[in-house]
């Protein structure tokens, strides 16, 4: 009887350890670059602001540990362009955004004129929301490609928002 209990406990412990290994392995951010790798591939982000034109935001501001720091203002962004330093394969982009008022904003990821992914996000005033533009398969992004996120609002909606924590997913294949 004692042997059956020990065998059962051993099997239960083995199953528990295998479960933890699977869970930990699944939560590893595959394709997520180190800060150094990210900075080798991406230079900065250029934003288009309604009525104000273009402005560059250094990558270091978007990847620091300060969420919604003062360097990134609430604006009517219409386009967010990733300025690349080298060619790579992308699995998509994720970032945080926070709108000044309740609204729906559509974000569309493009490579040149090709739509790769689109998502509409419902914002509640002042609450951060994830904008996930992840791709089913990786896409080759060349240094000179126009890799950007088009921002669309409903007609007459002038909602301003701030974004931060920009994270690109790379395919190392």
């Amino acid at each position: 009887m004692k042997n059956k209990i020990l065998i059962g406990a051993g099997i239960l412990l083995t199953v528990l350890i295998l479960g933890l290994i699977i869970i930990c392995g699944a939560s590893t951010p595959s394709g997520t670059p180190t800060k150094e790798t990210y900075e080798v591939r991406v230079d900065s982000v250029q934003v288009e602001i309604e009525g104000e034109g273009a402005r560059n935001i250094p990558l270091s501001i978007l990847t620091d540990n300060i969420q919604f720091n003062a360097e990134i203002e609430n604006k009517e962004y219409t386009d967010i362009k990733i300025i690349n330093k080298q060619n790579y394969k992308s699995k998509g982009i994720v970032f945080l955004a926070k709108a000044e008022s309740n609204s729906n904003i559509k974000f569309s990821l493009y490579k040149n004129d090709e739509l790769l992914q689109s998502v509409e996000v419902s914002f509640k005033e002042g609450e951060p929301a994830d904008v996930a533009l992840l791709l089913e398969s990786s896409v080759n992004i060349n240094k000179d490609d126009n890799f950007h996120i088009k921002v669309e609002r409903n007609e007459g909606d002038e909602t301003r928002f701030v974004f931060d924590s920009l994270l690109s997913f790379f395919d190392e294949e």
Side-chain angles (χ1 to χ4, degrees):
M1 181 72 163
K2 212 178 209 185
N3 286 342
K4 288 183 181 180
I5 292 173
L6 288 175
I7 292 171
I11 292 172
L12 182 63
L13 184 60
T14 303
V15 170
L16 179 64
I17 290 171
L18 287 174
L20 286 173
I21 290 170
I22 291 170
I23 289 171
C24 290
S27 65
T28 302
S30 166
T32 306
T34 63
K35 187 173 183 177
E36 292 77 22
T37 302
Y38 203 175
E39 290 172 347
V40 166
R41 294 181 178 163
V42 177
D43 181 48
S44 62
V45 173
Q46 183 181 61
V47 294
E48 288 287 331
I49 303 168
E50 185 72 36
E52 294 183 31
R55 178 178 165 221
N56 268 14
I57 300 174
L59 186 62
S60 60
I61 292 173
L62 294 167
T63 58
D64 62 12
N65 291 327
I66 303 168
Q67 198 174 75
F68 302 115
N69 49 18
E71 286 87 358
I72 308 168
E73 302 172 285
N74 275 308
K75 295 286 185 177
E76 280 186 68
Y77 297 105
T78 58
D79 198 70
I80 302 168
K81 181 179 180 182
I82 312 303
I83 308 297
N84 301 310
K85 289 182 179 177
Q86 64 179 224
N87 302 343
Y88 57 86
K89 287 185 176 185
S90 176
K91 292 182 177 181
I93 295 176
V94 176
F95 58 93
L96 283 176
K98 182 170 59 172
E100 288 185 327
S101 60
N102 294 345
S103 62
N104 292 326
I105 301 176
K106 183 178 179 182
F107 298 91
S108 301
L109 181 63
Y110 284 87
K111 174 187 170 185
N112 300 318
D113 293 328
E114 177 188 358
L115 175 64
L116 302 174
Q117 183 64 273
S118 188
V119 64
E120 187 167 328
V121 178
S122 295
F123 288 97
K124 291 186 179 173
E125 181 179 337
E127 291 183 18
D130 291 326
V131 179
L133 295 162
L134 298 174
L135 307 174
E136 289 185 26
S137 59
S138 60
V139 174
N140 289 323
I141 304 297
N142 295 320
K143 180 182 173 188
D144 298 326
D145 283 337
N146 185 6
F147 191 49
H148 66 108
I149 301 162
K150 184 177 178 182
V151 181
E152 299 174 78
R153 296 167 187 77
N154 294 329
E155 186 72 34
D157 185 358
E158 297 177 354
T159 300
R160 296 164 19 132
F161 71 94
V162 63
F163 68 97
D164 200 0
S165 304
L166 184 76
L167 182 61
S168 291
F169 290 89
F170 302 115
D171 190 349
E172 297 298 332
E173 293 178 7

